[in-house]
Each structure stands twice: as structure tokens, then as C-alpha cells.
Amino acid sequence: MTTLPTGRSVRSTPEGLLWEPSERWVRGYKGEVAVVDSRHPVLVWEPDLPVPQYAFPSGEVRTDLLRPAKNPPTGTHTGSQIFHDLEVDGELRENAAWTFPAADLADHIAFEWFRRRDTGLDRWYEEEEEIFIHPRDPHKRVDALPSSRHVRVEVAGTVVADTRRPVLLFETGLPTRYYIPREDVRLDLFESTDHRTGCPYKGRAQYWNWRGGADVPRNIVWSYPDPLAPVAAVKGLLAFYNEAVDIIVDGVRVERPVTPFTASLKA
């Protein structure tokens, strides 16, 4: 019988990594093949990456599917790593996995996941719930709270939303997002797009573009038609990027924040 640690603490390595054991059951699939099936994953934070990633004991990874990397990259992750290509059913994905140089993480294997397509695995699960983009950070909160604040949104000087029944979404490290009922949004001023994103805390989002012709970034409005249970209150509501529109809350104009999304918001 394996005794699990009862205390949780973040530890550091000389290489600048932070890591913490997790008690979640994590599985990763390439197609229908379970490449990772781990009950002892470790969350790892790299210095220049704002979200955690998982590393797994090699005994809980299908190492028989890994090959020495033919074209290993440089400068991709912290320290000097050993990269592996992944081969499943005749398909090769280069540099899909790697090992960290830290002694604390010896005999652990990590897989590409965060914001990278066509590398690593196709699907990830924590327990029985599919997780998108990156693992959830246990030190981060996301709360969706119904409110009676008066919220008005302007795009290029035009009032596009006005409500007294928003849902405010508070997410650690990001500005407050104001989710507004569709009936209180001038959705006729926008057009739907094919853009889709996934969030490990909220689910999958759909987007709309501004039709006004001004210098406004694309996909400025989004909604979660089927959000994850913890943020069910935002279901079907619409939110705007604070970074690129004007939001007035109870008569006070909210300062446009600078966030990790700012650079990617282009007209």
C-alpha cells in the first residue's frame, strides 16, 4: 500500500522551477491510446510560464511509445532537457515529451500541452473531467458572482451593452470580467466568428467580431454556451475584453488593464 502525503507545499529547485505533488488522477491520450495514466502527478511551474504543467513518474507513462528526439529544440523549457518523440499507431509527434534537469524531478516525464497544437497528446483528464489548454492551478480561484452593479460597455464610442444584472467573474491574476445577458447587449452590432478557445476553469468559448469598421480587435466578444459547473452562472452571457473596450461600472470608467492577452488583441 502506498502512503500518500497529507501536507501540500510548493518546493523550489536550483534551476528556478517550482513544483508540488498532486493527488489527482491524470490521464493523457493520443487518439484512443492512454499514453499517461498517473495517480502521482507533479505540478511544475517554470519561471517564464504563467500556468503550471504536469510531470509524471516514468512508471506511469507508456515509455515504450517514446523515442529519442530526432530534432530536439533549444531554449524551449527551463534548463537542459532530454526530449522525446512520441510514436503511436505509426504517427510521430516530434518533441512531445521531455525531462526536467532538476534532481527533485528525476525519473519524471512532462508532455507538451500549454498553447501548443499538433504536439504532445490529444486529450487530458483530471479524474473524469476533460481539461483544456493547461492543468488547473490549485492556488488560483475563479468565482462567478451575480451582481446588481450598473455596467455599460462602449466600443469605439458606441454603447453596445447596458445592464444592471451582470455576472462578475473574478479570476486570480486577471481583471474582473463582466458577463452580460444577451438581452442587454446590442448583438446586432457584431457578427459571429469561427474562433474557438478552451479554458481549464470555464470550458469552451465562442466569439463575435465588431461590425463597426473602427480599429477594434477581432473576437472582442465571447460567451460560454456550456460552461463548467463552477462558473455555471455565466452560461450564455457575453463578455468583452477590458483591454480593448471601455467599461463603465456604477458611473466610473474602468481603466483598461494590461494583461497576457493585450499583445494578442489585434485589429
Side-chain angles (χ1 to χ4, degrees):
M1 179 181 294
T2 301
T3 301
L4 298 176
T6 56
R8 299 189 66 187
S9 61
V10 177
R11 303 129 194 220
S12 62
T13 76
E15 297 80 9
L17 298 168
L18 299 176
W19 65 279
E20 180 180 56
S22 173
E23 296 180 12
R24 300 189 183 200
W25 177 23
V26 179
R27 287 160 291 161
Y29 290 83
K30 171 65 178 73
E32 298 303 316
V33 176
V35 179
V36 175
D37 190 336
S38 177
R39 297 175 189 269
H40 308 92
V42 173
L43 282 165
V44 182
W45 290 262
E46 293 191 58
D48 298 324
L49 197 61
V51 297
Q53 53 203 306
Y54 277 124
F56 308 97
S58 61
E60 299 177 345
V61 174
R62 285 284 304 276
T63 55
D64 60 302
L65 301 175
L66 300 180
R67 314 282 183 261
K70 295 180 179 179
N71 302 294
T74 58
T76 305
H77 296 284
T78 300
S80 301
Q81 312 84 15
I82 298 175
F83 282 86
H84 306 274
D85 295 340
L86 173 69
E87 185 174 0
V88 178
D89 295 332
E91 181 182 345
L92 188 72
R93 289 194 171 176
E94 292 190 349
N95 304 310
W98 76 95
T99 58
F100 288 108
D104 288 355
L105 300 174
D107 200 36
H108 282 68
I109 299 173
F111 285 80
E112 291 291 359
W113 197 353
F114 174 62
R115 288 183 180 172
R116 298 180 176 93
R117 297 181 179 179
D118 300 323
T119 59
L121 305 186
D122 298 330
R123 293 174 289 121
W124 288 96
Y125 294 85
E126 291 177 348
E127 301 299 332
E128 298 302 325
E129 186 169 286
E130 186 173 5
I131 303 301
F132 312 101
I133 308 300
H134 61 81
R136 292 169 177 161
D137 190 328
H139 305 284
K140 185 173 184 177
R141 286 188 63 93
V142 179
D143 297 302
L145 305 180
S147 176
S148 60
R149 296 197 194 196
H150 182 198
V151 176
R152 190 171 78 250
V153 180
E154 298 177 358
V155 176
T158 300
V159 176
V160 298
D162 194 318
T163 189
R164 293 182 181 274
R165 47 179 184 153
V167 171
L168 274 56
L169 191 135
F170 301 93
E171 184 170 355
T172 304
L174 289 174
T176 303
R177 301 298 190 189
Y178 301 89
Y179 283 78
I180 300 173
R182 294 191 181 212
E183 298 83 3
D184 297 339
V185 177
R186 288 285 309 278
L187 201 53
D188 59 301
L189 299 176
F190 301 86
E191 59 184 2
S192 62
T193 75
D194 295 331
H195 186 58
R196 299 291 185 271
T197 61
C199 172
Y201 305 100
K202 299 183 286 293
R204 295 189 182 275
Q206 57 186 137
Y207 288 78
W208 288 261
N209 284 340
W210 167 245
R211 301 175 63 181
D215 187 21
V216 175
R218 294 177 56 80
N219 301 307
I220 196 69
V221 185
W222 74 88
S223 179
Y224 289 94
D226 189 22
L228 298 177
V231 294
V234 305
K235 180 180 177 68
L237 306 188
L238 299 167
F240 297 77
Y241 275 109
N242 311 38
E243 297 88 337
V245 304
D246 293 308
I247 298 180
I248 299 91
V249 180
D250 292 334
V252 178
R253 190 174 298 271
V254 177
E255 182 178 352
R256 293 189 182 185
V258 176
T259 73
F261 298 101
T262 301
S264 63
L265 291 171
K266 299 178 182 179

